[in-house]
Amino acid sequence: MDATRPLPISRPTVTEVRLSAFKAHRSAVFPIGPVTLFAGASGSGKSGVLQAYEALARLGAGDELGRIFPDPAGCVPESAGPDAQGRRGFRIGCTVDGPAGPARLELAIQAEPELRVVGERLTLGDRTLLTTALRDPGRSSVQAEWHTAGAVPVTRAPFPDDVLGTALLPLRVAGKTEGQRQVLAAAEQVVVGLRSVFACDPQPHRMRVPAARGEGRLRRGCDNLAEVLHRTRTGCRMRHARLAAVARGGCAGPVAGLDVEELADGRVRAVLARDGRGAVGTPLERLGEGELRYLALALVLLTGPGVLAVDQVAEVPDALQSLTVLADGFDRGLDPRQSGELLALAAEICAGGHLRLVGTAGAATAARARELPGVTVVDLEA
């Protein structure tokens, strides 16, 4: 093996997000590493990058455009005027690396006068594997063409204009020719790389309320934190003990452990154990907002897709997938000690390859992050 060549990536992984024309961004390409933080002044477009990433993830999971973009006009760059037919839109894309090589996905989405995908391109190296184009504005479909390299070099068929065409290819391509197998490998790599995303936005005021017993999967707002802690305490003892150790670095006062009380009405309430015997504790509703956000984000980093409310590809083994956590306002409400502890934890966990973190952060956290190996800080200008 050539020692100068990088080893292929075994897990499908998003390595770039491209915003050709999206909100405040034009012709922008952003690298995505194991831990990536976007920093910059208010209005520089930090949150917009994460919104585009989540939109691509939801498209990969099969969501329809209308659910992903409830305000599509707000995604169009402010300076973009309509064309002769009164149409305005935006363009987003990504690169997903993996066993097939770097696969590039580009999307052109019309926002006005109606929301629809008007163009899609999937490429692998210098070969175009899929293209779609709007041929008849009066129909709710686009014309798709994909590479086959058989007796017929290209296959054509209409695709819906409100979903990701790449995600439909595994249902349309037989995989009989080498070209078809290449299309399938690239499409499946993109879908697997995009789908495994957990967008996390802890809401401390909702985390103070005791949680009902359920399936024990952490929701986006982390409002069911107590329920998930009840599950990890009984089913993931090693992770729960690690979380309790991490809690000592971000919560005021002594922390001996994390306990859960079962209330008479069937709900559960999380408690910081103070003396190691469970006799003295502080209910989580008495903690500060920063402490609650710190605990929620630490729990996200220390658990996996089985504990987080994400929709991974069931047919692909977990060992061949990586979960990406999106955390807009990663350090919101945290003091320097808390943000430093979380950064160090994220760098350690994400170095293993099964978890990745993409977030936005303030200047102080970004400065600290630059000193950590494996952390990429992307500075944006307003």
Side-chain angles (χ1 to χ4, degrees):
M1 179 179 293
D2 184 355
T4 64
R5 295 184 60 188
L7 294 175
I9 296 177
S10 59
R11 298 182 179 94
T13 302
V14 175
T15 55
E16 282 183 340
V17 171
R18 291 186 301 281
L19 305 183
S20 301
F22 185 79
K23 294 195 170 185
H25 300 284
R26 282 188 177 273
S27 303
V29 180
F30 300 114
I32 303 297
V35 178
T36 307
L37 294 179
F38 290 87
S42 177
S44 60
K46 302 186 298 294
S47 296
V49 181
L50 269 64
Q51 290 167 9
Y53 194 140
E54 185 180 0
L56 288 165
R58 293 180 63 182
L59 283 166
D63 275 8
E64 296 180 357
L65 277 180
R67 297 179 58 189
I68 300 171
F69 298 106
D71 178 27
C75 299
V76 181
E78 189 173 1
S79 60
D83 63 11
Q85 287 74 41
R87 297 174 298 191
R88 299 171 72 236
F90 51 93
R91 301 177 66 92
I92 59 177
C94 64
T95 298
V96 180
D97 209 344
R104 290 169 56 98
L105 175 68
E106 304 284 351
L107 288 174
I109 299 174
Q110 177 184 290
E112 297 172 343
E114 59 181 320
L115 181 64
R116 62 199 313 181
V117 177
V118 294
E120 179 176 347
R121 182 182 297 272
L122 175 66
T123 59
L124 188 66
D126 59 357
R127 171 161 289 169
T128 299
L129 302 181
L130 168 73
T131 59
T132 71
L134 181 65
R135 303 297 186 193
D136 184 353
R139 295 185 177 181
S140 58
S141 63
V142 291
Q143 183 66 28
E145 300 180 356
W146 61 87
H147 176 69
T148 51
V152 179
V154 175
T155 301
R156 297 179 176 87
F159 275 9
D161 66 355
D162 61 348
V163 295
L164 185 69
T166 296
L168 299 178
L169 287 174
L171 304 176
R172 300 293 187 97
V173 180
K176 294 181 179 179
T177 69
E178 182 61 31
Q180 290 177 341
R181 288 190 286 272
Q182 187 179 46
V183 170
L184 281 174
E188 290 171 353
Q189 177 172 291
V190 168
V191 170
V192 172
L194 285 176
R195 278 184 59 171
S196 300
V197 163
F198 179 68
C200 181
D201 184 18
Q203 301 292 315
H205 67 283
R206 299 176 62 186
M207 295 159 59
R208 300 183 191 282
V209 181
R213 297 280 297 277
E215 62 178 351
R217 300 184 75 194
L218 190 66
R219 295 191 284 264
R220 179 184 187 127
C222 304
D223 52 287
N224 63 330
L225 179 69
E227 175 203 1
V228 177
L229 289 175
H230 182 271
R231 174 183 174 181
T232 60
R233 188 185 65 171
T234 56
C236 311
R237 292 186 179 275
M238 291 183 63
R239 289 179 178 176
H240 190 85
R242 178 75 190 279
L243 178 62
V246 171
R248 298 186 189 104
C251 295
V255 177
L258 282 168
D259 289 334
V260 179
E261 297 178 349
E262 298 189 24
L263 305 180
D265 60 5
R267 295 184 299 168
V268 291
R269 178 172 64 186
V271 176
L272 278 185
R274 296 298 192 182
D275 68 349
R277 299 187 303 275
V280 179
T282 302
L284 258 60
E285 57 259 35
R286 299 180 66 88
L287 300 184
E289 290 198 0
E291 291 175 304
L292 288 172
R293 282 185 55 82
Y294 175 85
L295 285 174
L297 289 167
L299 176 61
V300 169
L301 291 170
L302 286 169
T303 55
V307 179
L308 306 177
V310 295
D311 179 26
Q312 289 196 296
V313 182
E315 306 83 42
V316 179
D318 290 345
L320 299 181
Q321 300 186 60
S322 61
L323 173 66
T324 299
V325 175
L326 300 182
D328 193 7
F330 173 74
D331 57 349
R332 187 188 314 130
L334 304 185
D335 63 29
R337 179 185 63 148
Q338 292 167 332
S339 59
E341 291 281 348
L342 275 181
L343 270 177
L345 179 64
E348 175 192 345
I349 296 296
C350 295
H354 69 281
L355 184 73
R356 295 163 71 83
L357 171 69
V358 180
T360 66
T365 300
R368 189 177 296 110
R370 291 186 185 92
E371 302 172 359
L372 294 176
V375 178
T376 300
V377 177
V378 180
D379 290 298
L380 302 179
E381 296 182 0

